[in-house]
């Protein structure tokens, strides 16, 4: 699939402020799953400097710093043309030792995956959530420990149990709250999915991005999880939609910690007591002229 994406974000301050450095994570990835054909970033006020960097998770992000002049608004607009390739998300063969739980990771791999095997660190706990552990054990039993069956059951359980709400700002909720109220934003459902996976030793990371929308429907930033499967690499699961991720999703960035995947992060100095954020997002899809690649 080909996507044309226009993302326009406006921050408005109650009184003029001095903008400090900002990090922008709105550049789509370019890898075996998707190709970034064009990308532009427009910022108002014009930054004093711009730097494109690669972060610890391998994401390409943009750092902005500004002239020390008071401003009442910050406007960030990105335009991207992306082609996605994966039409079959199950086109892989797991390593023989990674077919059933628990996974007995080689030491070198376990060391590399350490950040993705522990709690999501969203500021509310230092240990895995007890409800996540319980749900993980239930699904482990019902799936007889088969990794693919476990992930499919977990994805479907969250999708069928929890309603979805749009919550544009704020950190993800604790998994126990999301599960008990059976309701959450996409990022809440993703953190629940991640914590359950981590409770049974499956490495996961948080992904922010976009997904295909029906004509005349509003488009929103989206989130899903990627699970590291030895022999298959990172594979996406979207508990909000109950789907394995394929060519209907466009990834921006991924991280072990949700806060490191925030689309825009920055601060300001001044006496503003109120800040409002508004964004317009257009995600247009069209058939890709090239043959789809099964990844």
């Amino acid at each position: 699939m080909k996507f044309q994406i226009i993302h326009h974000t406006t921050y408005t301050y109650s009184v003029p402020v001095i903008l400090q450095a900002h990090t922008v994570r709105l550049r789509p990835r370019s890898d075996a799953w998707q190709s970034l054909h064009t990308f532009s970033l427009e910022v108002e006020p014009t930054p004093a400097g711009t730097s494109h960097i690669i972060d610890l998770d391998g994401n390409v992000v943009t750092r902005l710093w500004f002239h020390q002049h008071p401003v009442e608004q910050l406007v960030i607009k990105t335009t991207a043309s992306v082609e996605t390739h994966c039409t079959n998300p199950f086109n892989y063969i797991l390593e023989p030792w990674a077919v059933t739980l628990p996974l007995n990771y080689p030491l070198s791999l376990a060391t590399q995956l350490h950040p993705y095997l522990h709690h999501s660190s969203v500021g509310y706990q230092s240990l895995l959530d007890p409800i996540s552990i319980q749900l993980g054990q239930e699904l482990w039993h019902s799936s007889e420990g088969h990794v693919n069956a476990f992930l499919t059951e977990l994805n479907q359980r969250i999708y069928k149990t929890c309603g979805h709400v749009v919550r544009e700002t704020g950190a993800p909720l604790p998994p126990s709250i999301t599960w008990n109220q059976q309701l959450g934003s996409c990022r809440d459902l993703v953190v629940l999915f991640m914590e359950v996976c981590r409770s049974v030793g499956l490495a996961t990371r948080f992904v922010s991005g976009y997904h295909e929308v029906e004509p005349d429907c509003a488009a929103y930033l989206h989130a899903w999880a990627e699970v590291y499967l030895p022999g298959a690499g990172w594979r996406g699961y979207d508990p909000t939609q109950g789907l394995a991720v394929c060519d209907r999703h466009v990834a921006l960035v991924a991280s072990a910690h949700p806060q490191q995947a925030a689309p825009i992060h920055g601060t300001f100095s001044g006496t503003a007591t109120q800040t409002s954020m508004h964004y317009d997002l257009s995600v247009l899809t069209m058939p890709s002229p090239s043959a789809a690649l099964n990844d």
Side-chain angles (χ1 to χ4, degrees):
M1 292 290 294
K2 268 195 169 181
F3 292 84
Q4 185 72 26
I5 301 164
I6 302 174
H7 190 160
H8 196 146
T9 307
T10 302
Y11 295 92
T12 303
Y13 310 100
S14 57
V15 298
V17 301
I18 302 296
L19 296 173
Q20 305 301 323
H22 278 59
T23 300
V24 178
R25 303 183 181 95
L26 290 171
R27 182 187 183 96
R29 295 191 316 207
S30 192
D31 51 32
W33 285 68
Q34 61 186 47
S35 299
L36 178 60
H37 294 307
T38 62
F39 177 77
S40 66
L41 170 66
E42 302 171 50
V43 182
E44 180 62 36
T46 302
T50 302
S51 176
H52 303 291
I53 64 174
I54 299 175
D55 69 11
L56 283 172
D57 293 287
N59 304 302
V60 179
V61 302
T62 302
R63 290 279 289 170
L64 307 173
W65 57 97
F66 296 89
H67 299 285
Q68 298 300 289
H69 302 151
V71 300
E72 295 182 354
Q73 278 192 335
L74 170 63
V75 180
I76 297 174
K77 178 183 178 183
T78 59
T79 304
S81 174
V82 186
E83 185 175 2
T84 56
H85 307 303
C86 179
T87 57
N88 179 7
F90 302 106
N91 183 29
Y92 58 78
I93 299 176
L94 294 176
E95 295 286 357
W97 55 268
V99 174
T100 58
L101 298 168
L103 303 189
N104 185 20
Y105 295 105
L107 179 60
S108 60
L109 182 56
T111 300
Q112 290 177 287
L113 291 175
H114 183 270
Y116 308 99
L117 286 166
H118 295 272
H119 70 91
S120 59
S121 185
V122 293
Y124 53 79
Q125 60 183 25
S126 58
L127 299 172
L128 282 169
D129 187 276
I131 285 183
S132 300
I133 296 174
Q134 179 180 347
L135 182 55
Q137 293 299 313
E138 290 177 3
L139 293 174
W140 186 336
H141 176 73
S142 63
S143 66
E144 298 181 341
H146 295 295
V147 169
N148 283 333
F150 175 91
L151 291 170
T152 298
E153 287 189 36
L154 172 59
N155 209 29
Q156 285 295 307
R157 179 75 67 90
I158 295 175
Y159 170 67
K160 293 178 179 178
T161 303
C162 298
H164 174 241
V165 295
V166 175
R167 187 165 57 87
E168 295 183 349
T169 61
L173 297 176
S176 57
I177 292 179
T178 300
W179 187 247
N180 285 333
Q181 69 183 11
Q182 299 185 5
L183 188 71
S185 68
C186 57
R187 60 189 178 282
D188 301 326
L189 304 183
V190 170
V191 167
L192 171 62
F193 181 97
M194 291 170 60
E195 294 293 276
V196 176
C197 285
R198 289 173 177 180
S199 76
V200 298
L202 289 172
T204 61
R205 63 184 186 181
F206 185 98
V207 185
S208 68
Y210 310 106
H211 68 95
E212 181 184 26
V213 295
E214 295 295 328
D216 302 322
C217 290
Y220 298 96
L221 273 166
H222 195 47
W224 58 93
E226 286 181 341
V227 183
Y228 187 82
L229 300 176
W234 291 107
R235 295 283 161 166
Y237 288 85
D238 184 352
T240 304
Q241 299 182 340
L243 301 173
V245 171
C246 57
D247 61 349
R248 265 55 182 179
H249 290 64
V250 175
L252 292 171
V253 296
S255 178
H257 307 296
Q259 61 268 37
Q260 298 302 320
I264 301 173
H265 176 76
T267 60
F268 62 85
S269 58
T271 59
T273 57
Q274 291 185 333
T275 303
S276 64
M277 187 273 288
H278 173 76
Y279 75 84
D280 292 307
L281 177 60
S282 171
V283 180
L284 300 178
T285 61
M286 58 198 77
S288 172
S290 64
L293 302 176
N294 287 333
D295 183 25

